[in-house]
């Protein structure tokens, strides 16, 4: 992106015109002062500036993935939605291979597809408990899973 100034935020330096969603991309890798390693993955569900996930879908995927991913790994730090509503950031402790990250995502999204409810989708545990759609989250998870063979391809 030679026509844009270099930004402090890694994703702002990504040319969103050249990526091809869905994909999973290592967006950042940090070694903290005590030696701990944090890896941040861009888990892109929809094509930037072409499509997006509706907020109830984003919200429900966030709840479902955050809850179910921890059944597969104790190294999940966070699963956060992107403001553009095209995907999420998955933050993991430690060094991960692409295959291991893909396996974690696939196992978790399979759990999402099988879920019978959105965890913590109520006024006590959530700031907007009515803003959820299990069916929408399951449709997005199914579509993402169907494209697993392409997850490593970030640009055309």
């Amino acid at each position: 992106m030679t026509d844009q100034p270099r930004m402090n935020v890694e994703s702002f330096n990504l040319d969103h015109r050249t990526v091809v969603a869905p994909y999973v991309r290592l967006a950042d890798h940090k070694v903290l002062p005590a030696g701990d390693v944090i890896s941040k993955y861009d888990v892109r569900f929809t094509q930037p500036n072409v499509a997006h996930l509706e907020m109830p879908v984003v919200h429900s995927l966030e709840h479902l993935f955050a809850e179910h991913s921890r059944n597969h790994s104790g190294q999940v730090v966070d699963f956060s939605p992107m403001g553009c509503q095209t995907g999420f950031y998955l933050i993991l402790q430690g060094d991960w291979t692409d295959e291991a990250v893909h396996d974690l995502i696939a196992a978790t999204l399979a759990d999402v597809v099988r879920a019978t409810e959105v965890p913590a989708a109520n006024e006590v545990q959530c700031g907007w408990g009515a803003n959820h759609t299990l069916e929408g989250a399951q449709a997005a998870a199914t579509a993402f899973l169907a494209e697993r063979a392409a997850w490593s391809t970030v640009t055309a």
Side-chain angles (χ1 to χ4, degrees), residues 35-85:
D36 295 320
V37 175
I38 299 293
S39 299
K40 175 180 164 184
Y41 290 88
D42 171 347
V43 183
R44 195 71 62 143
F45 274 68
T46 65
Q47 185 62 33
N49 298 302
V50 174
H52 68 278
L53 300 168
E54 294 298 325
M55 276 311 300
V57 174
V58 170
H59 194 188
S60 296
L61 278 171
E62 175 198 12
H63 277 231
L64 286 154
F65 198 100
E67 179 66 18
H68 290 288
S69 62
R70 287 166 170 89
N71 294 331
H72 301 287
S73 174
Q75 293 179 287
V76 174
V77 175
D78 194 30
F79 187 70
S80 304
M82 296 176 178
C84 60
Q85 298 172 234

Side-chain angles (χ1 to χ4, degrees), residues 2-3 5 15 19 21 40 44 54 84-85 94 101 104 108 110 138 146-147 151:
T2 58
D3 56 337
D15 189 339
V19 299
K40 175 180 164 184
R44 195 71 62 143
E54 294 298 325
C84 60
Q85 298 172 234
V101 172
L104 172 64
T108 302
Q138 289 173 323
E147 298 295 326
W151 290 357

